[in-house]
Amino acid sequence: MIALQEKRWTELADIKDELAARDWFMGTSGNLAIKVSDAPVKFLVTASGKDKKKRTAEDFLLVDAAGKPVEKTHLKPSAETLLHCAVYSKTTAGCSLHVHTVANNVISELYGDDGKIDFQGQELIKAFGMWEEDALLSIPIIPNYADIPRLADEFSQHLGTDKGAVLIRNHGITVWGKDGFEAKKLLEACEFLFQYQVTLNQIYSK
Amino acid sequence: MIALQEKRWTELADIKDELAARDWFMGTSGNLAIKVSDAPVKFLVTASGKDKKKRTAEDFLLVDAAGKPVEKTHLKPSAETLLHCAVYSKTTAGCSLHVHTVANNVISELYGDDGKIDFQGQELIKAFGMWEEDALLSIPIIPNYADIPRLADEFSQHLGTDKGAVLIRNHGITVWGKDGFEAKKLLEACEFLFQYQVTLNQIYSK
Amino acid sequence: MIALQEKRWTELADIKDELAARDWFMGTSGNLAIKVSDAPVKFLVTASGKDKKKRTAEDFLLVDAAGKPVEKTHLKPSAETLLHCAVYSKTTAGCSLHVHTVANNVISELYGDDGKIDFQGQELIKAFGMWEEDALLSIPIIPNYADIPRLADEFSQHLGTDKGAVLIRNHGITVWGKDGFEAKKLLEACEFLFQYQVTLNQIYSK
Amino acid sequence: MIALQEKRWTELADIKDELAARDWFMGTSGNLAIKVSDAPVKFLVTASGKDKKKRTAEDFLLVDAAGKPVEKTHLKPSAETLLHCAVYSKTTAGCSLHVHTVANNVISELYGDDGKIDFQGQELIKAFGMWEEDALLSIPIIPNYADIPRLADEFSQHLGTDKGAVLIRNHGITVWGKDGFEAKKLLEACEFLFQYQVTLNQIYSK
């Protein structure tokens, strides 16, 4: 268990370093989680209020299925840990990433009233396992309730598959996949598609 | 005192390195300050005319509450040291950062006639300690007087809180917070919000 | 042969590192190839499903003119290896690079119905060996068939020169040149021209 | 002389590294020069056709006032060395930098018919030594003649000051200043101002 936990810690810390290098945690935003065990569910989640540009022994803490620390610690789990709890309760995913980028927030605002944004004919949707020529990737956009349990409840309605992505309006994206590699792949594919769509919208002004 | 001063020096030098890596000091613009003592007020401030991509023993110098060097030195404090003096005179803040980015200058021009820019419903305003669903972050925009004492006087009118941000029209942003960590967090949150707003404006053309 | 193969491996790995640092392989997209021998044709190509930010001994594998592994291996060649096969079958090129960027995908969509995009009067077209004041660089844009053999067949129609570039609609660009240095030069010149054109289009809205 | 030449070499190589990290030499574009002696004029200039991401002993070569190699060498001076010759013949500048960026090329096209672009009320124009509140920075934009001697001749008409900047239409910018530090400062200030203006133009569509 300890060896596995260390392996997962390193996996998540490497992802954190890579996303931090892209400045995807502006203003200490964002939080990350990776599952360590299934029965009972335990996962590592980012501690609240840390500088994600630095790599320290206090970056993550182990929590249970309800998001409570497994061991006594002065660290506090991220305020939005309940969203990660929802992922591990409703899906078989092993990693979930919540990240703010300018492009994902802009898309969440532009298409927020539609409740979703669709992508078709884009090569990058293959990251979601969609290989058919007419495949359609639809990413839900949910309202940003300040009340986290209510937000987690709304978010849970969209956890029907073992990998996926949900935008929260003006509050970033959450992606989940079987492991860190897949979750990061989905996150990057979404960011690429969002930057693409933002750029098209800048040309065909609304 | 020496140990504390060295600690603050390192804190500010680390912030400088991080912001320099983002190219936030184009054309040698920008200046940074961190408080070393309260009674009397002394703070470290960037020396004038240095390449902020390099880290040297002459990057900062210690000045008093009036912005005058505490010790004999060939270094000159930044031309805009008076703005940092205002921060430490009017607030309890421990760090203040003045930075030019394309996004903050564009926003200062677009909304300059309004004298402010408001953000509401954006997750990132939580960096300013605003957690309510309908909270409003209002960032003042002041004219860019070439006369620095006049500019510092105008700037002082907006120093009512112990953390905050003020835009100077076509002359970057100044943020202040209790320490380097908080000041950097505010700076990043503002930059994110400005880039978001600029992108929306590029879509909904004026 | 082994020494040459190692030299080519390093050449391609260096290019991969440099493009990865620019985030040009988002969502594990993109694939790269470099020729090792001419008679018979053998080339190194990126293995499928790898994290291109990492540099490992399993990043590439050696394939023959038909894109089949030369030696027994658990690695799978990139799904789009047939496009690289076409390059080495129809031209004398030594390196071919297929990369997704936001700008190249946006351009492929904006000008896709025209079947091409033209550049004239741009200094950067000199990268393609065009030095005359009125030279015209025309880059074909082909449809993105999900069926790779059909896509490779369409792509082959545009392999008339020993260095060049073809856009696939919403599916990135493929460039080829005599060696890694030239292929990378063409890739960068195209990216620069595309970003330039996207920016102009953002100003002169459609 | 040798010691001074080595010092200048390092100064220019450091600038090259820094600009290369920003991807300001896309497609092997751009060239740099630094003066080593005044009577007679000798300067180091980038060798033609090198990858500017790498730092090698063949990056620069020493040329005379006419741009001819001072010593026997297999290296060729940059095709545009004549522009650097013009700088050292007409001004007291010690360093000149010619760089392509997307923003400087877009600005050169947008304002090319006006023959110049003006900036006023922008803090960053202080990099050019303009401290008055109503100071005006005017950057000339000249046509991009394919014939280099003709281009150098046109360029020479704008070398009236010991530091400055000239845009060549769709062919980047050339800046010159008393040393590498000042030339880089001017280059960065221009890039900042151009990105600012491009962004405003994207909002107030033409």
Side-chain angles (χ1 to χ4, degrees):
Chain A
M1 171 70 186
I2 293 302
L4 180 64
Q5 185 172 332
E6 279 174 13
K7 199 171 167 228
R8 293 289 170 265
W9 182 291
T10 301
E11 195 177 338
L12 197 59
D14 286 350
I15 290 173
K16 185 171 76 74
D17 284 354
E18 194 173 327
L19 305 187
R22 288 179 183 143
D23 283 332
W24 285 7
F25 301 121
M26 292 286 267
T28 77
S29 66
N31 43 77
L32 314 175
I34 197 161
K35 198 164 62 176
V36 173
S37 72
D38 269 308
V41 163
K42 293 182 193 171
F43 63 92
L44 293 165
V45 68
T46 36
S48 191
K50 300 286 176 188
D51 182 345
K52 292 186 189 71
K53 283 264 186 185
K54 296 194 168 74
R55 184 167 179 146
T56 77
E58 300 202 327
D59 289 337
F60 312 118
L61 71 163
L62 193 68
V63 299
D64 62 19
K68 302 297 173 197
V70 167
E71 293 162 346
K72 199 172 157 68
T73 173
H74 68 282
L75 300 173
K76 278 182 54 179
S78 266
E80 293 148 5
T81 298
L82 282 185
L83 277 76
H84 298 290
C85 293
V87 168
Y88 302 120
S89 144
K90 293 248 196 167
T91 77
T92 64
C95 182
S96 46
L97 310 172
H98 170 61
V99 171
H100 286 252
T101 68
V102 170
N104 71 32
N105 269 24
V106 166
I107 288 289
S108 79
E109 175 65 14
L110 288 177
Y111 297 88
D113 288 348
D114 303 338
K116 69 183 169 89
I117 180 166
D118 294 336
F119 291 100
Q120 198 168 22
Q122 288 295 318
E123 186 67 14
L124 264 283
I125 69 173
K126 288 186 184 169
F128 283 81
M130 296 172 160
W131 295 83
E132 306 75 29
E133 202 161 291
D134 59 349
L136 178 84
L137 172 67
S138 189
I139 299 174
I141 306 172
I142 65 175
N144 184 22
Y145 301 118
D147 180 56
I148 301 293
R150 187 180 176 196
L151 180 63
D153 190 55
E154 176 76 24
F155 174 71
S156 292
Q157 313 305 315
H158 300 279
L159 288 168
T161 52
D162 289 334
K163 62 182 162 198
V166 169
L167 281 165
I168 308 171
R169 192 157 178 169
N170 292 317
H171 183 163
I173 196 170
T174 300
V175 299
W176 62 96
K178 71 177 172 208
D179 52 21
F181 179 80
E182 184 171 83
K184 184 167 76 79
K185 182 170 75 168
L186 300 180
L187 182 63
E188 289 182 353
C190 287
E191 178 64 17
F192 184 95
L193 292 166
F194 296 156
Q195 289 183 13
Y196 168 92
Q197 191 59 50
V198 164
T199 307
L200 278 186
N201 283 355
Q202 285 167 335
I203 292 169
Y204 299 108
S205 293
K206 291 213 162 185
Chain B
M1 173 67 188
I2 292 302
L4 181 64
Q5 185 173 332
E6 280 174 13
K7 198 171 168 231
R8 293 289 171 263
W9 182 291
T10 301
E11 196 178 337
L12 196 60
D14 286 350
I15 289 173
K16 185 170 76 74
D17 284 353
E18 194 172 326
L19 305 187
R22 287 179 184 142
D23 284 332
W24 284 8
F25 299 121
M26 291 287 267
T28 76
S29 66
N31 43 77
L32 314 175
I34 198 161
K35 197 164 63 176
V36 172
S37 72
D38 269 307
V41 162
K42 293 181 194 172
F43 63 94
L44 293 165
V45 68
T46 35
S48 191
K50 300 286 176 186
D51 182 345
K52 293 187 188 71
K53 284 262 185 187
K54 296 194 167 73
R55 184 167 177 145
T56 77
E58 301 202 327
D59 289 337
F60 313 119
L61 70 162
L62 193 68
V63 299
D64 63 19
K68 303 295 173 197
V70 167
E71 293 160 347
K72 198 172 157 68
T73 173
H74 67 282
L75 300 173
K76 278 182 52 180
S78 265
E80 292 148 6
T81 298
L82 282 185
L83 276 77
H84 299 290
C85 292
V87 168
Y88 303 120
S89 145
K90 293 250 196 166
T91 77
T92 63
C95 181
S96 46
L97 309 172
H98 170 60
V99 171
H100 286 253
T101 68
V102 170
N104 71 32
N105 269 25
V106 166
I107 288 289
S108 79
E109 175 66 13
L110 287 177
Y111 298 88
D113 288 348
D114 302 338
K116 68 181 170 90
I117 180 167
D118 294 336
F119 292 100
Q120 197 167 24
Q122 288 294 317
E123 186 67 13
L124 263 284
I125 69 174
K126 288 185 183 168
F128 284 82
M130 296 173 158
W131 294 84
E132 307 75 29
E133 203 161 290
D134 59 349
L136 177 85
L137 172 66
S138 190
I139 300 174
I141 306 172
I142 64 174
N144 183 22
Y145 301 117
D147 180 56
I148 301 294
R150 187 178 176 197
L151 180 63
D153 190 56
E154 175 76 25
F155 173 71
S156 293
Q157 313 305 316
H158 301 279
L159 288 169
T161 52
D162 290 334
K163 62 181 163 199
V166 169
L167 280 166
I168 308 171
R169 191 156 178 171
N170 291 318
H171 184 163
I173 196 170
T174 300
V175 299
W176 62 96
K178 72 178 173 210
D179 51 22
F181 179 80
E182 185 170 82
K184 184 166 75 79
K185 182 171 76 168
L186 300 179
L187 182 64
E188 289 182 353
C190 287
E191 177 64 18
F192 184 94
L193 293 166
F194 296 155
Q195 289 184 12
Y196 168 92
Q197 191 60 48
V198 164
T199 307
L200 278 185
N201 283 355
Q202 287 168 332
I203 292 169
Y204 300 107
S205 292
K206 292 213 162 187
Chain C
M1 171 71 187
I2 292 302
L4 180 65
Q5 185 172 330
E6 278 173 16
K7 199 171 168 229
R8 293 290 171 262
W9 181 292
T10 301
E11 195 177 338
L12 197 59
D14 286 350
I15 289 173
K16 185 171 76 74
D17 284 354
E18 195 173 327
L19 305 187
R22 287 178 183 143
D23 282 333
W24 284 8
F25 301 121
M26 291 287 267
T28 75
S29 66
N31 43 77
L32 314 176
I34 197 161
K35 197 164 62 176
V36 172
S37 72
D38 268 309
V41 163
K42 293 182 194 171
F43 63 92
L44 292 165
V45 68
T46 36
S48 191
K50 301 285 175 187
D51 182 345
K52 293 188 189 69
K53 283 263 185 186
K54 296 194 167 72
R55 184 167 178 144
T56 77
E58 301 203 326
D59 288 338
F60 312 119
L61 71 162
L62 192 68
V63 299
D64 62 20
K68 303 296 173 197
V70 167
E71 293 161 345
K72 200 172 155 65
T73 173
H74 66 283
L75 300 173
K76 278 182 55 180
S78 267
E80 292 148 6
T81 298
L82 282 185
L83 276 76
H84 299 290
C85 292
V87 168
Y88 303 121
S89 145
K90 293 248 196 167
T91 78
T92 63
C95 181
S96 47
L97 309 172
H98 169 61
V99 171
H100 287 252
T101 68
V102 170
N104 71 32
N105 270 24
V106 166
I107 288 291
S108 78
E109 175 65 14
L110 287 177
Y111 297 89
D113 289 348
D114 302 337
K116 68 182 172 89
I117 180 166
D118 293 337
F119 291 100
Q120 197 167 24
Q122 288 294 317
E123 185 67 13
L124 264 283
I125 68 173
K126 288 187 185 168
F128 284 82
M130 297 172 159
W131 294 84
E132 307 74 29
E133 202 161 292
D134 59 349
L136 177 86
L137 172 67
S138 189
I139 299 175
I141 307 173
I142 64 175
N144 184 21
Y145 301 117
D147 179 56
I148 302 293
R150 187 180 176 196
L151 181 63
D153 190 56
E154 175 77 24
F155 173 71
S156 293
Q157 313 306 316
H158 301 279
L159 288 168
T161 52
D162 289 335
K163 61 181 164 199
V166 169
L167 280 165
I168 308 171
R169 192 156 178 170
N170 291 317
H171 183 163
I173 196 170
T174 299
V175 299
W176 62 97
K178 71 177 173 209
D179 52 21
F181 180 80
E182 184 171 83
K184 184 166 76 78
K185 182 170 75 169
L186 299 180
L187 182 63
E188 289 182 355
C190 287
E191 178 64 18
F192 185 95
L193 292 167
F194 296 155
Q195 289 184 13
Y196 168 92
Q197 192 60 49
V198 163
T199 306
L200 278 186
N201 283 355
Q202 286 167 334
I203 291 169
Y204 300 107
S205 293
K206 292 214 163 185
Chain D
M1 173 72 186
I2 293 301
L4 180 64
Q5 185 172 331
E6 279 174 13
K7 199 171 169 231
R8 292 289 171 263
W9 181 292
T10 300
E11 196 177 338
L12 197 60
D14 286 351
I15 289 173
K16 185 171 76 74
D17 284 353
E18 195 173 327
L19 306 187
R22 287 178 183 143
D23 283 332
W24 285 7
F25 300 121
M26 292 287 266
T28 75
S29 65
N31 43 77
L32 315 175
I34 196 161
K35 197 164 62 177
V36 173
S37 73
D38 269 307
V41 163
K42 293 182 194 171
F43 62 93
L44 292 165
V45 67
T46 35
S48 191
K50 300 285 176 187
D51 182 345
K52 293 188 187 72
K53 283 264 184 186
K54 296 194 167 72
R55 183 168 178 144
T56 77
E58 302 202 326
D59 289 337
F60 313 118
L61 71 162
L62 192 68
V63 298
D64 62 20
K68 302 296 173 196
V70 168
E71 293 161 347
K72 200 172 154 71
T73 173
H74 67 283
L75 300 174
K76 278 181 54 180
S78 266
E80 292 148 6
T81 298
L82 283 185
L83 276 75
H84 299 289
C85 292
V87 168
Y88 303 121
S89 145
K90 292 248 196 168
T91 78
T92 64
C95 181
S96 45
L97 309 173
H98 170 60
V99 172
H100 286 252
T101 69
V102 170
N104 70 32
N105 270 24
V106 166
I107 288 291
S108 79
E109 174 66 14
L110 287 177
Y111 297 88
D113 288 348
D114 302 338
K116 69 181 171 89
I117 179 167
D118 293 337
F119 291 101
Q120 196 167 24
Q122 289 294 318
E123 186 67 14
L124 264 284
I125 69 174
K126 289 186 184 169
F128 284 81
M130 296 173 159
W131 294 84
E132 308 75 29
E133 203 161 291
D134 59 350
L136 177 86
L137 172 66
S138 189
I139 299 174
I141 306 173
I142 65 174
N144 183 23
Y145 301 118
D147 180 56
I148 302 293
R150 186 178 176 197
L151 181 62
D153 190 56
E154 175 76 25
F155 173 72
S156 293
Q157 313 305 316
H158 301 279
L159 288 169
T161 52
D162 289 334
K163 62 181 163 197
V166 169
L167 280 166
I168 308 171
R169 192 156 179 171
N170 291 318
H171 183 163
I173 196 169
T174 299
V175 299
W176 62 96
K178 72 177 172 210
D179 52 22
F181 179 80
E182 184 171 81
K184 184 165 76 80
K185 183 171 76 168
L186 299 180
L187 182 64
E188 289 182 354
C190 287
E191 177 64 16
F192 185 95
L193 292 167
F194 296 156
Q195 289 184 13
Y196 168 92
Q197 192 60 49
V198 164
T199 307
L200 278 186
N201 283 356
Q202 287 167 334
I203 291 169
Y204 300 108
S205 293
K206 290 213 163 186

